[in-house]
Amino acid sequence: MEPKGVCLVLFIFLLVNNTVQQNPPKKRNSKKESANSAAIEELKKQIQDIVQEVNLLKEMQALQTVCLRGIKILGKCFLADPVKKNFHTASEDCNAKGGSLSTPATGDENDQLYSYVRMSIGPEEPIWLGINDIVTEGQWLDQSGSNVRFKNWETEITLQPDGGRGQNCAMLSTTANGKWFDESCRVEKASVCEFSIV
């Protein structure tokens, strides 16, 4: 329903409610009062439903705006943020926008994310991934606290992850063709937020 329709329904409801309160009938019938009360409650419920629907449409519009500024990859929208921040600040910023730090779930998604980062942020800029082993060393979890199923650690040259307790956050390296490295969470890097498309 369009905002004009919402305003019209709200205006009618307020007008009916105000009229009933200002001009009460001399002799009220309890059945009539009950019917009026039920009708008013139904109108209130309809207005709440309309407001909820308008808010959902606003969220969908905001998500479409994100997708237009970023890129769609396999049921997700990705939006690059070239401003360098530590892991926790980057994660909080993505959460505040309604998303989370990017966490590739497949090799194809990782490859597309790698290409997007090179194109949008730069060919030599690594990004934070939404993956860490802060809670338990060696147990890499995503932002929801679930074990990471897909992994793309660099294992040919440096045998990642290799930082122990000093490097608990994961990054995607553009200079290593999208391979992952562990890093200190305090280091500042660019990031990419992901948003699920429902």
Side-chain angles (χ1 to χ4, degrees):
M1 179 177 275
E2 292 185 26
K4 289 180 184 177
V6 172
C7 290
L8 180 61
V9 170
L10 186 58
F11 175 77
I12 292 171
F13 170 76
L14 292 173
L15 184 64
V16 168
N17 194 21
N18 195 25
T19 303
V20 169
Q21 288 178 355
Q22 287 182 356
N23 300 319
K26 302 283 184 210
K27 192 174 185 182
R28 290 196 175 191
N29 183 340
S30 64
K31 285 184 180 180
K32 213 175 203 180
E33 276 184 22
S34 178
N36 284 344
S37 179
I40 289 172
E41 289 304 314
E42 178 61 27
L43 283 173
K44 285 180 181 178
K45 182 185 179 311
Q46 288 176 1
I47 289 171
Q48 286 174 343
D49 290 346
I50 290 168
V51 168
Q52 188 174 8
E53 187 176 328
V54 167
N55 288 336
L56 183 61
L57 289 171
K58 285 179 184 178
E59 286 179 27
M60 289 171 57
Q61 182 180 17
L63 183 57
Q64 290 302 322
T65 302
V66 167
C67 289
L68 289 174
R69 289 186 2 227
I71 189 171
K72 290 181 187 179
I73 300 174
L74 303 174
K76 298 178 184 177
C77 288
F78 289 88
L79 183 61
D81 183 354
V83 178
K84 294 180 180 181
K85 304 169 193 160
N86 67 45
F87 175 83
H88 298 291
T89 302
S91 178
E92 289 168 5
D93 286 353
C94 285
N95 291 341
K97 294 173 186 169
S100 61
L101 279 174
S102 58
T103 306
T106 65
D108 186 36
E109 189 176 321
N110 193 83
D111 292 344
Q112 290 187 50
L113 178 61
Y114 160 69
S115 296
Y116 173 60
V117 171
R118 288 179 54 88
M119 179 184 67
S120 61
I121 297 176
E124 296 184 7
E125 289 296 327
I127 61 160
W128 286 121
L129 293 173
I131 299 168
N132 68 73
D133 71 344
I134 295 170
V135 176
T136 304
E137 181 61 32
Q139 184 178 358
W140 292 88
L141 306 174
D142 63 19
Q143 300 281 278
S144 70
S146 301
N147 284 320
V148 177
R149 286 185 239 157
F150 169 75
K151 297 174 183 166
N152 195 38
W153 297 110
E154 195 292 308
T155 57
E156 294 177 15
I157 299 171
T158 61
L159 298 174
Q160 295 292 316
D162 67 352
R165 294 189 182 274
Q167 297 181 341
N168 293 322
C169 294
M171 65 170 214
L172 180 143
S173 172
T174 50
T175 56
N177 299 321
K179 292 291 186 181
W180 300 357
F181 292 78
D182 59 347
E183 178 66 85
S184 167
C185 302
R186 294 186 185 117
V187 174
E188 293 187 342
K189 301 196 177 305
S191 58
V192 174
C193 299
E194 73 176 44
F195 305 84
S196 295
I197 302 172
V198 180

